[in-house]
Every structure is written in C-alpha cells, then in structure tokens.
Amino acid sequence: MIWQFTKMHGAGNDFIVLDGVSQPIEMTPERARALAHRQLGIGADQILLVETPSHPEADFRYRIFNADGSEVEHCGNGSRCFVRFVHEQRLSRRNPLRAEIATGLITLEEKEDNSVTVDMGVTRFDPAALPFDTEGLSHSQEHEETLWNLPLPQGGMVTLSTLAISNPHAVLLVDNIDTAPVATLGPFIESHPRFGNRVNVGFMQVVNRHHIRLRVYERGVGETLSCGTGACAAVATGIRRGLLDSPVTVQTRGGLLTIEWNGTQLKMTGPATTVFSGQIDIDKLVKDFCLKDE
Ligand SMILES: N[C@H](CCC[C@H](N)C(=O)O)C(=O)O
C-alpha cells in the first residue's frame, strides 16, 4: 500500500506526518518503527497521524507514535506541525483548530508571523498522573514543588520533580546543560521501574527568571534537539519552584520556544517547518525492515 507523507520539524524535533483522513492509514508499532528508522526508513523522532475525531467538539484527532513504536499522549512540537500540515494540505481552513488527544482537547493557532501557539491542555502534578512510585523516596518541598530524591546505582542520588503534560515528565535542575550527564542519567531515569509508563527526562539550566536552556532525553526516542512538552514541563516546574516567571524563553538545541503559564493555562509558541513530501510503500518498507539483524 502506498502512503503519502510529509516530513516536518518543530525546532529540530522531526516528524513524519500522515493524513489518515484522506487515505486509509492503520498504524502499528512495527510500521512506526520502520518509518522512523534513520537508515532503513524515512527517519524521525515521532510519527504524527491526523484522523477524523470521535470528540464532538474536535476538528481532528491527533495521534503520536515514538520512534520505538509506542503510542503516546501528547507531542508539543508535533502539535504545531499538525496544524501547519492540516492547513497546507487543505484538510481545513479553520484557525484556531481544536484537536483531540488522549487526555482531551488542545487548541492550535497559526499566527500572522508564521509561528504557532498551542493551548497545551491539562497539566497535573500528582505522582499518580504519571505514574510514579514514590514509596520510600525521601523528598523536600521548594515553594509549591515537591522534589524527589532518586538513589543512583553508584551511590548518591538525583533530585527531580515530576508532572504530566498529558505525557509524563521528570525535570532535573543542572548548572550547565552542556556538561549534564544526559547520555547516562537520561536512559537510567527514562526506564526506571518507579515510572510505570517510563518518562521523558528534562535537564534544565536557569539563565534568568525569563530564560532557560533545556536538553531532553525523550521516552521512546533518546535525546532530541527539542521537546515541546518537555519545555512546558520545565517551565511549570521552574515557576512552581520559585525560579522562573512567565513568560519564559526556552532555548533548545533545535531552536527557541516561548512558554506562558498562569498556574492553570499552559501555552507554547514556536516554529513549524515543512521539509519535503513523498510517498512510501509501507508493506515493502516493513518487509525489508524485518530482514535486518537486530
Ligand atoms: N517522547 C514523548 C512524545 C513526544 C514529545 C515531544 N517530541 C514533544 O515535542 O512534546 C513521550 O514519549 O511522551
């Protein structure tokens, strides 16, 4: 079966976007892994699927698959590409759009300056929202935020805060993201047994009260150039810790995002870029992909 696709990125976080409204797309973990594979497939951090909604107030359903094939609750950078794609493909001229995600509705708007603003939906701070097993962990309180101390295998511990921007996030404060142990601590925390659905891991450096630098080791992918929900998680955590004031510029390796948070409403503004469109024989791709030695 031939699928039309469009390759896009939001601040360097890259996606394969599929129109599941005009063409019959049945996504499986294996198909997502094959499409996202950097050598054997098209290559991407996530696959974004546009579908007809089931929610009466939504214009479209927005589904997200990580490079490891896992389907997840939200993708912030992807949501900006989602609305750009819907408009460019003339699936709708409505602006702003309402998209149905796993935990409810989000509102997406293309701005005059070509940026995109997204109302990111529900933000929850209780460990059960992730889920995160805090049994037996020491913790401290910093302003509104609870900081958990996670023991490290080699001794010592790492302090993190946790929240759900629909998807699960753990955020660590570091002095300098360029020397942060993202490659070691990232995977250790991402698949730590205390995180029942795994977790995205953000390393945040506070530059001033309106500016942070951020690196994210993403669940199901690894380190990406940028993570939209990770930027939201870092800013919400920083504000609750009394370190930041809204709005905050989030400097990622892939570009700048602006996050506004008033304690309930979380808004993200940033770029969305279309790189190229193409088509692929999905059955042949999966067949070839399965031949590789793993
Ligand atoms: N890896 C994330 C999904 C993509 C999030 C990120 N690409 C963003 O822009 O929010 C997760 O497993 O929850």
Side-chain angles (χ1 to χ4, degrees):
M1 186 185 304
I2 301 297
W3 285 359
Q4 306 298 323
F5 70 86
T6 297
K7 186 75 177 19
M8 303 182 77
H9 74 85
N13 189 193
D14 69 328
F15 312 108
I16 297 160
V17 192
L18 298 165
D19 166 6
V21 175
S22 318
Q23 58 185 339
I25 301 270
E26 189 196 338
M27 189 53 68
T28 63
E30 188 177 59
R31 286 176 164 181
R33 282 193 296 274
L35 287 164
H37 199 278
R38 295 284 178 192
Q39 287 78 34
L40 304 181
I42 300 166
D45 293 330
Q46 279 91 25
I47 316 291
L48 311 181
L49 181 52
V50 183
E51 290 190 333
T52 305
S54 51
H55 191 294
E57 293 166 36
D59 300 300
F60 295 96
R61 186 179 176 202
Y62 168 37
R63 295 177 67 190
I64 305 107
F65 299 81
N66 280 323
D68 72 352
S70 54
E71 183 167 4
V72 292
E73 307 88 344
H74 203 337
C75 176
N77 286 322
S79 61
R80 301 195 310 274
C81 293
F82 179 95
V83 64
R84 173 89 81 233
F85 176 82
V86 163
H87 290 157
E88 286 181 346
Q89 299 293 321
R90 307 218 184 305
L91 293 175
S92 169
R93 298 166 63 89
R94 188 167 294 172
N95 191 37
L97 276 182
R98 300 194 78 181
E100 172 190 358
I101 59 173
T103 53
L105 292 178
I106 57 173
T107 303
L108 318 151
E109 183 175 8
E110 286 204 272
K111 315 298 280 189
E112 291 292 310
D113 66 358
N114 209 33
S115 68
V116 179
T117 292
V118 184
D119 162 4
M120 291 294 286
V122 175
T123 304
R124 290 179 55 191
F125 299 89
D126 50 304
L130 280 80
F132 177 41
D133 173 11
T134 61
E135 177 72 34
L137 288 186
S138 65
H139 61 276
S140 59
Q141 199 68 22
E142 189 177 61
H143 294 268
E144 296 170 63
E145 190 63 285
T146 302
L147 304 179
W148 299 98
N149 299 314
L150 191 68
L152 295 172
Q154 67 275 27
M157 59 179 68
V158 62
T159 298
L160 49 85
S161 45
T162 61
L163 64 163
I165 314 284
S166 300
N167 62 348
H169 287 269
V171 181
L172 293 70
L173 192 61
V174 295
D175 295 332
N176 180 345
I177 59 167
D178 299 323
T179 56
V182 176
T184 50
L185 262 188
F188 171 72
I189 298 170
E190 187 254 5
S191 52
H192 196 285
R194 284 183 178 269
F195 289 101
N197 287 332
R198 299 183 294 166
V199 71
N200 298 282
V201 189
F203 298 79
M204 166 169 69
Q205 173 187 341
V206 175
V207 177
N208 62 49
R209 295 188 66 84
H210 290 282
H211 179 191
I212 63 170
R213 299 178 69 214
L214 181 71
R215 289 173 68 183
V216 179
Y217 189 93
E218 285 200 32
R219 177 179 62 170
V221 184
E223 183 173 5
T224 56
L225 292 181
S226 171
C227 177
T229 50
C232 295
V235 168
T237 293
I239 290 172
R240 282 165 54 94
R241 294 183 64 169
L243 304 171
L244 301 174
D245 298 309
S246 178
V248 176
T249 296
V250 179
Q251 186 179 344
T252 75
R253 293 187 155 180
L256 297 178
L257 302 176
T258 302
I259 311 296
E260 300 165 78
W261 190 54
N262 60 12
T264 49
Q265 189 87 11
L266 225 180
K267 283 173 76 174
M268 169 187 61
T269 299
T273 305
T274 299
V275 182
F276 69 94
S277 288
Q279 60 181 32
I280 192 160
D281 179 334
I282 188 64
D283 301 309
K284 181 181 180 307
L285 173 73
V286 169
K287 183 165 164 285
D288 295 346
F289 182 70
C290 292
L291 293 177
K292 76 184 185 330
D293 294 334
E294 192 61 81

